[in-house]
Amino acid sequence: MFTQTLLTGLAIGGIYALMAVGYSLVFSILNFSNFAYGSIIMLGAYIGYYAMVRMGMPIGLAIAVSIVGSGLLCWLNERLAYAPLRKRKASSLFFMISAMGTSIFLENLVYATIGARFYNFPELFAKSNLEFRGISIGVLDVFAMVFSFVAIYGLNLFLQKSRTGIAIRAASYDIEVCSLNGVNIAALIGLVFGLAGALAGISGMFLGMKYIVYPTMGWITNKAYIAAVIGGLGSLPGAVVGGVLLGVLETFVSAYVSSVVRDVFSFSLLVLLLMVMPTGLFGRFLEEKV
Amino acid sequence: MTQYLSGILSLGLIYVIATVGLAVFTGFTGLFSLGHAAFFAIGAYTAAILTYFYGVNFYLALAAAGVMSGLVGFLIGYPTLKAKLRTDYFAIATLGFGEATRVLLENLSITQGARGLPGITNYTTLPVIIVIAALVIWVAWNFVHSRHGRAAIAIREDFVAAEMMGVNIFIGRLRSLIFSAACGGIAGGLFAHYFCFIQPSMFTAYMSTQLTAAVVAGGMGSISGPVMAALIFIGVPELLRVANIWRLVAYGLLLVLIMIFRPQGLLGYREISLSGIRDFFARFRKGARS
Amino acid sequence: MNSLAMAGKPTEVLELRGVTKRFGGITACKDLTFHIREGQIMGLIGPNGAGKTTAFNLITGVYGVTEGSIIYNDQIINGKRPDQIVRIGIARTFQNIRLFKNLSVLDNVCIAVDCHETYLLGAACLRLGNVRKREKAIQEQAMEYLAAVGLEDRASVRANSMPYGYQRKLEIARALALKPKLLLLDEPAAGMNPEESLELAKLIRILHERFRLTTLLIEHHMDVVMSLCEKIYVMNFGVKLAEGSAEEIQSDPEVLRAYLGEGYKRAEHP
């Protein structure tokens, strides 16, 4: 039972981590909460669904389409809703409102056009389980977990090793100094949003397969924000730890207490943690420069 | 027809009360609440349960709704504001709070879960709403035009400088939050006794969105702006009979457009005044002549 | 304590004892030890990045100290919040002006005057009792502080629409409105030309006497520092470099080296 719960928790934690990393990536560079991110994840699920079910693509191709589609959407989101504010050097509050607006717009646009119907992915391997010494885990869960961690590892490699990745990390410390050093900030920010969108595509796809596809998948994408805050906003290792931690703890609460108190639990965990560590587990130094 | 119009006005003014509350918090302290519908819900349930199960006098129940929501505002605000959280952290904490509240309402026996409470007596009439709305606006106006309001504004403008002016940031924010929550609670109490039926699914992101949109569109740091915006946002779509879902699409788009083109909103940092209206028309006439 | 005893032994308003501040691995201030007597104007100078503003942030509670203690009127104040420190009589201005930009000049000062105002929230919301009268008094007081720095005719202007020099004066008016005993000025003459800065020095002198202040001043304009300060504390790389009167500092070889670099002698005697 314990190992079983732990594995299930890790599987969902992997997806949480993926979402939290994408969201935290944007935060680390522009310093605001991109609340539109949840909607991009939701759209990623729809794109994946259409590619796979309506157009009959194989799963690998569908994931690729979802990644590209979400990446483009996320990039477009930045160009349309944030770039004008960035040029004006608006305060992060305005960015946040714009992000909220985008999220509300996208979510309800899907409602109004596609409708509130639930869509199910074909049960490719949703029902098939791997059995091992009495522990059973869904093939999908294993696949999602592996894929999530591979994607995160790949992103980390890119940020650590490539020139562009180093430029992104530099920009997350000081965007102005970075631009003075000849980095094209607009292109860099576009790339960051594209990358975040790509992660959204993957996580949307897995969430859609694990649960169902519908407009307000928000209840689960909100977990991305909570996980990122637990880890410390803007910290990518923090986002991974926060996501996995949240996934595992939630699964344990569902299994041993009740699934009803699960969401109340994640919220209480968040508040308690912030009381003790106001910047999350791996948050950056937050003493304001005076 | 008159009944139809009075219906729109009633609903509009109930929203005005909650919007004024949110304006005092978000517009004057710069913190965002993404779960404000929860205060509305808590007020609605408190008042309804008191009159429905215990036969308490309506006005007492309404007061209790305000007190209860204010108290919950205190309980949420104390830990989250004490830690001097960044705006983003606080917004996410309230997001979690909103969800947690809905889950609790869906699972408590006194609230009759997701089925909701039908058959609440219709005590809320238009004159009652008008009087209470006027009272709330007056009190909010006095609040923001006192030293306590100035302290909140100082926190929004520059919290480091505010602290250096002897403003206790924690108390300043907490006070605004409690006030705002209490307004939400009263609006909720009126709402419950207007529709005579409440269920948890009424108090979702839809409501929080509408409130936030009204505050932002009306103008941060203004009372009269959000009041007008709330009336417009309820009135115009009702009169045009726009489907709910397209309203939300429009709200989302509106938030983004406002941030891009007119971040100060309808009346940012200003209020409607007689001299202001005179100046406006004077300019208008001058513009027409030239 | 009678006044004779007070006169016999000048009181120390502020004292720093071995104050150290580290940010991670960086030591911004190390072992700062100095004191200011009542009524003194003391200068805190040093090259950019010497840790002067950090010292202000430590005194006003914006940062917590890593080691050492800060004593104000025989009371240890490190560990207190900034707003508590303001209330016991320490006010400051900011190097990079931090006005409430979107508010009027008058409102900026009113917020500071509010610091010692006491009417309660309930009374305010319902406009009970003397709230209206108190509000009027607050505005009048704020006008007086504006007049003290010569900004009374700009009361209704939006703060960030004023020229730079006036914004600095507004910062001073705002700090004065907190009724401080100890005033910390962080580069009040930054960005001013020599004439303007000497005029500002005069104003600081007048305000210092009129409001019976003790003043600690960070400034790069040496003519301002030399004309105002009885005592100067020089910092470099977070540590004390020298301490003494204006004359002593001007002839201190360590100070000259820090300011002019190793080659200063050659530059003086080519």
Side-chain angles (χ1 to χ4, degrees), chain B residues 18-43:
Chain B
T19 306
V20 164
L22 190 62
V24 167
F25 182 62
T26 297
F28 286 84
T29 64
L31 281 177
F32 258 85
S33 164
L34 300 181
H36 229 65
F39 295 121
F40 205 97
I42 290 165

Side-chain angles (χ1 to χ4, degrees), chain C residues 130-201:
Chain C
N130 58 356
V131 168
R132 217 175 289 258
K133 223 190 300 169
R134 296 300 315 150
E135 276 295 305
K136 215 173 148 217
I138 289 171
Q139 295 213 341
E140 279 163 8
Q141 269 190 54
M143 282 306 287
E144 279 171 33
Y145 289 108
L146 281 179
V149 298
L151 286 178
E152 67 274 29
D153 50 349
R154 293 186 177 254
S156 57
V157 172
R158 209 172 62 164
N160 68 348
S161 71
M162 289 199 304
Y164 200 66
Y166 287 164
Q167 293 194 24
R168 290 227 173 265
K169 284 186 179 170
L170 176 54
E171 275 228 334
I172 296 176
R174 204 174 59 165
L176 289 174
L178 296 165
K179 303 195 177 78
K181 293 184 200 72
L182 174 64
L183 179 63
L184 312 180
L185 297 171
D186 197 344
E187 295 196 34
M192 292 185 178
N193 65 32
E195 275 165 49
E196 287 168 332
S197 56
L198 280 178
E199 194 197 327
L200 184 80

Side-chain angles (χ1 to χ4, degrees), chain A residues 23 33 85 88 222 233 267, chain B residues 79 88-89 92-93 99 259-260:
Chain A
Y23 162 73
S33 274
L85 306 186
R88 211 176 56 215
N222 282 344
L233 278 178
F267 167 65
Chain B
D88 315 77
Y89 285 67
I92 290 160
E99 280 187 42
M259 284 304 106
I260 294 175

